[in-house]
Amino acid sequence: MPLHLWSVLLLGLGLLALAQSGPPLRTLAEKRGLQIGAAVEPNLLLQDPEYARVLAREFNLLVAENVMKWGALQTARGQFNFGAADLLVDFAQKNQMAIRGHTLVWHQQLPRWIYDRFTPAEMEAILHQHIQTVVGRYRGKIAYWDVANEVIGDDARPRTTPFDVLPDYLEKAFRYARAADPKAKLFYNDYGAEGLGPKSDAIYALLKSLKEKGVPLDGVGFQAHLDLNFSPEAARMAENLERFARLGLEIHITEMDVRLSGPGSRAERLRKQAQIYQEVLQVCLRQPRCKVFTLWGVSDAYSWRAASEPLIFDADYQPKPAYFALQRTLQQP
Ligand code: 9MR
């Protein structure tokens, strides 16, 4: 190959390397007063050094994908296993990352014993002990707790849970969490409520009534598990977030991912995926109360929807167009 072609090739590779080593997302986010997070499985921190490296380089907030759920923490009544959760907390602290705790009241991933028929008084004691023990253990270390997750079903009505035996279990959960760590901000978190519609109306009504009753609720998390038919579109989402903001709530995007599956060439779909990430980040940046933007994982390899490649790094930790879209968006004034 003639010399000048080599230099063109080297220049191209150099530019590529430069593009890939642009400023980390966390550095850019910090300048915008935003925390950028990822859901984490602590066992991967031990198994995969690249996972830990990318996480620490790009993100300034962690959320436990599974290890802070009831089923992981309290497998037998009164017996708590904090090993994996502690690992996550240590990693976050060593790397100057904030932590979202996930989650204290959810209808899924519960231990089997909680389905025994308890009296209201017993359930109250169980709920209190769990929240006091878990939130208390990490008092001062966890900035935000998803106290309640997915309480409203897709039919816009409250779901059935083993906690139902205890009237006002939801209010109680928030009060127990506040008592266990007065500095942690307490959240309601849900999916399919990004836009306007019956489900987000029901959540809005619930949160409004909790606020009116003086329940210690600080914020609302919109999960944003999306696909290429991004629905609602950005404008509707902005409008929806605004009404929650007017309740005085802090707003977090808590579990974003965008499935790549669908019609069209791979290149087109990657572009569309990037555009959706960009639009949701823009909605958050333009909403003064939106303070946290979190992805539901780091690389496609370990995503709960791995087959549909929904994240911003591919399975080899190469940044995808969605990564660069977030990087650019954070740099725009
Ligand atoms: O990503 C989590 C996956 O590994 C678990 O198997 C699953 C169990 O239901 O929970 C997933 O995380 C969920 C989160 O806790 C709440 N919102 C929806 C998430 C995706 O299902």
Side-chain angles (χ1 to χ4, degrees):
M1 195 188 290
L3 200 58
H4 68 277
L5 279 185
W6 275 114
S7 34
V8 169
L9 187 69
L10 285 176
L11 182 71
L13 287 175
L15 287 175
L16 194 69
L18 200 70
Q20 295 207 345
S21 62
L25 299 180
R26 68 180 283 174
T27 312
L28 298 172
E30 269 153 30
K31 291 191 189 141
R32 304 293 299 262
L34 184 77
Q35 286 173 324
I36 183 151
V40 170
E41 291 287 20
N43 62 324
L44 297 173
L45 293 171
L46 304 174
Q47 289 164 20
D48 182 348
E50 186 64 2
Y51 175 84
R53 213 175 61 80
V54 174
L55 203 56
R57 187 186 69 213
E58 300 291 341
F59 299 95
N60 58 10
L61 179 143
L62 297 185
V63 54
E65 183 164 351
N66 286 299
V67 300
M68 290 189 187
K69 294 172 179 172
W70 275 73
L73 289 179
Q74 200 183 162
T75 36
R77 187 171 173 189
Q79 277 175 34
F80 289 84
N81 323 298
F82 285 113
D86 284 355
L87 206 74
L88 185 151
V89 172
D90 289 347
F91 181 85
Q93 292 199 313
K94 285 202 184 89
N95 292 287
Q96 291 83 46
M97 301 160 117
I99 304 169
R100 293 190 97 254
H102 175 85
T103 176
L104 299 173
V105 173
W106 191 26
H107 65 287
Q108 277 185 37
Q109 280 176 297
L110 290 168
R112 207 170 288 166
W113 61 266
I114 208 165
Y115 292 93
D116 289 352
R117 270 194 214 102
F118 292 111
T119 64
E122 285 167 338
M123 186 52 88
E124 180 161 14
I126 289 168
L127 189 68
H128 191 200
Q129 186 199 21
H130 184 84
I131 294 179
Q132 195 176 40
T133 307
V134 174
V135 178
R137 181 179 184 89
Y138 300 115
R139 186 184 169 111
K141 296 183 177 172
I142 293 195
Y144 318 102
W145 268 106
D146 283 334
V147 174
N149 193 43
E150 302 169 11
V151 170
I152 300 296
D154 295 339
D155 58 0
R157 299 158 68 96
R159 293 179 195 272
T160 304
T161 80
F163 305 110
D164 294 342
V165 61
L166 176 65
D168 301 335
Y169 77 86
L170 197 57
E171 290 184 43
K172 290 202 163 80
F174 279 96
R175 295 193 199 280
Y176 298 153
R178 179 66 97 225
D181 185 350
K183 293 219 174 101
K185 289 189 180 169
L186 307 181
F187 277 71
Y188 177 91
N189 187 48
D190 216 324
Y191 71 87
E194 290 77 20
L196 298 163
K199 184 167 177 177
S200 89
D201 288 351
I203 294 169
Y204 177 81
L206 172 67
L207 302 194
K208 187 164 182 286
S209 82
L210 291 177
K211 287 297 273 185
E212 283 163 3
K213 285 187 213 160
V215 174
L217 165 74
D218 301 302
V220 54
F222 296 95
Q223 295 183 8
H225 290 293
L226 304 175
D227 58 29
L228 295 184
N229 305 307
F230 173 36
S231 165
E233 73 279 24
R236 292 282 88 72
M237 182 168 178
E239 204 179 315
N240 187 41
L241 265 49
E242 177 58 27
R243 68 173 169 162
F244 284 91
R246 281 199 303 265
L247 289 179
L249 297 172
E250 182 164 324
I251 291 173
H252 291 181
I253 305 299
T254 49
E255 307 187 7
M256 183 156 180
D257 56 11
V258 184
R259 299 161 73 134
L260 191 61
S261 18
S265 73
R266 186 176 173 75
E268 271 162 19
R269 286 181 287 122
L270 283 166
R271 255 200 312 278
K272 179 76 184 154
Q273 185 183 48
Q275 186 194 330
I276 294 170
Y277 271 103
Q278 167 165 9
E279 284 177 7
V280 174
L281 177 59
Q282 274 168 347
V283 169
C284 179
L285 287 170
R286 289 175 186 157
Q287 167 53 253
R289 286 184 177 270
C290 187
K291 303 285 187 197
V292 168
F293 181 84
T294 306
L295 312 180
W296 206 237
V298 181
S299 100
D300 287 336
Y302 307 120
S303 163
W304 71 297
R305 312 203 289 196
S308 53
E309 302 168 77
L311 293 166
I312 63 171
F313 289 96
D314 72 14
D316 299 318
Y317 296 104
Q318 292 308 303
K320 292 159 66 180
Y323 173 86
F324 296 112
L326 294 183
Q327 199 180 47
R328 264 196 321 275
T329 307
L330 287 169
Q331 286 172 298
Q332 282 158 7

